[in-house]
Amino acid sequence: MNRISVTLDEPIAQINPNIYGHFAEHLGSCIYEGIWVGEDSPIPNDGGIRTDVVRAMKKIKPPIVRWPGGCFADDYHWEDGIGPRAERPRRVNIWWGDVIEPNAFGTHEFVRFCRMIGAEPYFCGNVGSGTPRELRDWVEYCNFTGDSTLAARRAANGSPEPFNVRYWSVGNENWGCGGSFCPEDYGAEYKRFATFLRDWGTPLFLIACGPSGNDPEWTRRFFTKIGKYSRIHGFSAHYYCGTAGTATEYTEAQWYELIARSLKMEGLIAQQRAIMDGFDPGRKIGLIVDEWGTWHPTVVGRNPSFLWQQNTMRDALVAAATLDIFNRNADKVIMGNIAQTINVLQAMILTDGDKMVTTPTYHVYDMYQSHQGGTCVRAFFESEAITFTAGGKEERIFGLDGSASVKGSELTLTVVNPHATDAVEAEVVFRGGSARSGSVTVLTDQDIHAHNTFDAPDAVRPVASAATIEGNSWRYTFAPASVTAIKVQLG
Ligand code: AHR
């Protein structure tokens, strides 16, 4: 018999809500069309920001949004995006198709968007083509409350109150698009930039660029270089699991292959944290993954630089399995930002003119939101592994996996069944407590390629499932190719 044992008396750590974070870059139609349509648009908006998108994002309780890039951040000069919109300069977006960046969406617009959806803004600073002075001035512009010229400019631009932006990263992917630095040179730049970023009113949370994937060298050499330098609070790796097949066309083996590849996140977290522990045994510096997700091939007929992709049940399982990994490693990872919010890569939302659709990945974020801030407790998943062939090699993936967290008297247990065709029955056992009642929500489809379109926006959506959840042992049958969220009132 397959078994899920939830040990309520074995807490791992509190799940930082920021694990459920997002990322929005000036790339393709993420910002322009996805968020910003302008006040004069026929698309319903509040001061230029789409109201349908705000409504949808608010529902999944986004804790934090990273902006303005990505690669775009290291070529972004924040002063281009303030002041009267008609006077803002038009620049070339060198990373994403050489399109014109009108700068209509800048600091004020982004902070307003964050406030509208209830998220904290996270600014990614420019190291590659910027200066310590430019970044230091951006912090002053946003956070200073005294009588400085920059604070007065902020007030003149409509915000007398400071923005109190807490999260700032010193560059993005500085081993690549952020300046092609080696870890030692970036370490030196990190210290030079961070030294000038001040805690005006708001204590800053400063984030350094970590490796591409699970590269131990970058991490070791960066931390060796910065030595005892203490103005660092976070260190962020990026991991894209890529694709197998295309976004919507894949074989059953490719379905498993991509989900299996997303599970490498667990090893990345364990190894990166272990290296960091060698330099920072007290874990004062948090491990972050501020870009992650699927990355499918370009769709014919769309601009290849815009990274637009569809989002199917397979993306939903990748998202769920990754969020379960983050939850289980709540003692090691403090923030995760899926790439990207709207119309780019593994998006929550797709738009087409005035139409908007939420994706299967969005529904996972909705179903998992009660994990935010809960205490992750240890859960053991015993199930028969699934075997599949990828690249001529036989590989294995779990039969059932997930995570459990407790908030007050409510337990959230989320479970992924990756089996493409078979339901899996399991006994769920609680140790250290028992269930008074419970409810179940399931995201599944008979077709592993199922996705939402503008014509069928609810083709994939979570549905309630009947189940008797009582006592400290009960059975549940997990649908094939599914994500299940079980909310239990503990008695
Ligand atoms: O998310 C798209 C791009 O992927 C980002 O701009 C960059 O940081 C990463 O390589």
Side-chain angles (χ1 to χ4, degrees):
M1 174 47 107
N2 302 300
R3 184 174 295 111
I4 301 172
S5 310
V6 182
T7 52
L8 291 159
D9 46 6
E10 273 194 52
I12 296 175
Q14 187 175 18
I15 297 169
N16 192 317
N18 288 341
I19 281 170
Y20 289 80
H22 298 268
F23 166 40
E25 179 167 11
H26 288 240
L27 192 178
S29 47
C30 181
I31 301 293
Y32 300 109
E33 179 180 328
I35 297 174
W36 179 259
V37 287
E39 286 117 327
D40 300 332
S41 171
I43 298 173
N45 68 84
D46 179 347
I49 293 174
R50 287 182 83 122
T51 43
D52 53 355
V53 164
V54 167
R55 209 176 304 120
M57 285 304 292
K58 222 171 146 176
K59 182 162 182 271
I60 57 171
K61 298 211 166 52
I64 191 159
V65 186
R66 176 174 183 252
W67 173 84
C71 294
F72 179 83
D74 280 278
D75 192 38
Y76 180 63
H77 301 283
W78 67 270
E79 286 186 89
D80 289 351
I82 58 167
R85 259 180 232 113
E87 290 165 27
R88 295 186 194 175
R90 295 169 68 74
R91 307 281 185 208
V92 182
N93 186 333
I94 60 166
W95 290 108
W96 306 115
D98 278 353
V99 297
I100 295 299
E101 165 57 56
N103 282 300
F105 190 87
T107 300
H108 291 253
E109 290 79 10
F110 175 65
V111 170
R112 195 157 63 80
F113 172 64
C114 288
R115 305 282 186 255
M116 286 163 97
I117 64 172
E120 279 287 314
Y122 163 10
F123 283 19
C124 184
N126 177 349
V127 168
S129 69
T131 60
R133 176 178 176 170
E134 185 184 10
L135 189 51
R136 164 244 176 268
D137 282 356
W138 201 7
V139 175
E140 181 181 330
Y141 182 83
C142 289
N143 292 355
F144 193 64
T145 46
D147 182 22
S148 80
T149 300
L150 283 169
R153 245 172 116 188
R154 182 191 68 233
N157 287 330
S159 298
E161 293 304 317
F163 291 139
N164 296 325
V165 178
R166 179 162 183 245
Y167 295 93
W168 296 83
S169 68
V170 177
N172 164 75
E173 296 194 350
N174 301 89
W175 35 262
C177 64
S180 304
F181 291 100
C182 67
E184 289 77 14
D185 288 351
Y186 173 67
E189 288 299 304
Y190 178 84
K191 291 194 282 183
R192 198 161 79 96
F193 275 68
T195 299
F196 298 95
L197 307 180
R198 295 307 161 93
D199 300 336
W200 288 304
T202 300
L204 302 186
F205 190 98
L206 301 178
I207 300 165
C209 160
S212 166
N214 185 13
D215 172 6
E217 272 301 290
W218 175 273
T219 308
R220 262 189 218 112
R221 288 169 58 187
F222 169 79
F223 279 105
T224 303
K225 177 70 190 181
I226 67 163
K228 297 266 172 265
Y229 186 76
S230 63
R231 253 178 99 69
I232 171 169
H233 311 102
F235 178 74
S236 178
H238 288 177
Y239 175 59
Y240 289 98
C241 62
T243 191
T246 72
T248 52
E249 287 169 29
Y250 39 86
T251 61
E252 202 173 287
Q254 288 172 325
W255 155 274
Y256 291 125
E257 187 185 342
L258 188 59
I259 299 168
R261 221 182 293 150
S262 73
L263 307 180
K264 291 192 192 306
M265 186 69 88
E266 192 128 35
L268 180 153
I269 292 169
Q271 192 176 1
Q272 289 296 318
R273 188 61 256 182
I275 299 168
M276 288 168 70
D277 285 349
F279 295 90
D280 169 39
R283 295 198 173 168
K284 291 207 180 88
I285 304 166
L287 176 61
I288 290 172
V289 185
D290 64 17
E291 285 187 33
W292 67 270
T294 57
W295 194 315
H296 299 302
T298 308
V299 176
V300 179
R302 288 191 180 258
N303 186 331
S305 302
F306 285 9
L307 309 185
W308 186 94
Q309 64 188 39
Q310 244 306 352
N311 190 301
T312 70
M313 276 303 300
R314 184 173 61 160
D315 297 270
L317 266 77
V318 164
T322 305
L323 293 174
D324 284 325
I325 291 170
F326 287 160
N327 290 339
R328 292 198 295 266
N329 289 281
D331 56 335
K332 301 188 189 71
V333 64
I334 62 158
M335 192 196 295
N337 307 70
I338 189 168
Q340 299 194 5
T341 315
I342 305 163
N343 294 328
V344 171
L345 298 176
Q346 192 172 350
M348 302 290 123
I349 291 173
L350 300 175
T351 63
D352 180 11
D354 63 351
K355 295 186 218 137
M356 185 206 88
V357 69
T358 53
T359 64
T361 297
Y362 172 92
H363 292 308
V364 170
Y365 273 72
D366 196 10
M367 290 164 66
Y368 275 52
Q369 56 172 277
S370 55
H371 277 307
Q372 290 189 25
T375 298
C376 184
V377 294
R378 213 165 291 286
F380 301 93
F381 292 78
E382 297 166 68
S383 60
E384 201 180 320
I386 302 164
T387 49
F388 64 97
T389 307
K393 267 190 16 206
E394 193 174 275
E395 297 206 18
R396 287 154 75 86
I397 183 174
F398 61 77
L400 284 181
D401 208 353
S403 64
S405 70
V406 178
K407 215 190 273 173
S409 60
E410 186 177 87
L411 168 94
T412 301
L413 171 65
T414 46
V415 181
V416 173
N417 173 12
H419 206 294
T421 50
D422 294 356
V424 177
E425 191 189 7
E427 183 187 13
V428 183
V429 181
F430 285 179
R431 303 195 200 287
S434 70
R436 199 151 38 85
S437 61
S439 60
V440 182
T441 310
V442 185
L443 187 71
T444 186
D445 199 284
Q446 284 178 346
D447 179 3
I448 58 170
H449 309 93
H451 55 274
N452 293 332
T453 63
F454 298 108
D455 294 332
D458 287 326
V460 179
R461 68 188 167 86
V463 292
S465 155
T468 308
I469 296 171
E470 231 173 42
N472 52 15
S473 167
W474 36 276
R475 284 179 183 209
Y476 185 78
T477 301
F478 295 91
S482 67
V483 179
T484 304
I486 305 177
K487 303 259 181 73
V488 178
Q489 295 305 319
L490 299 167

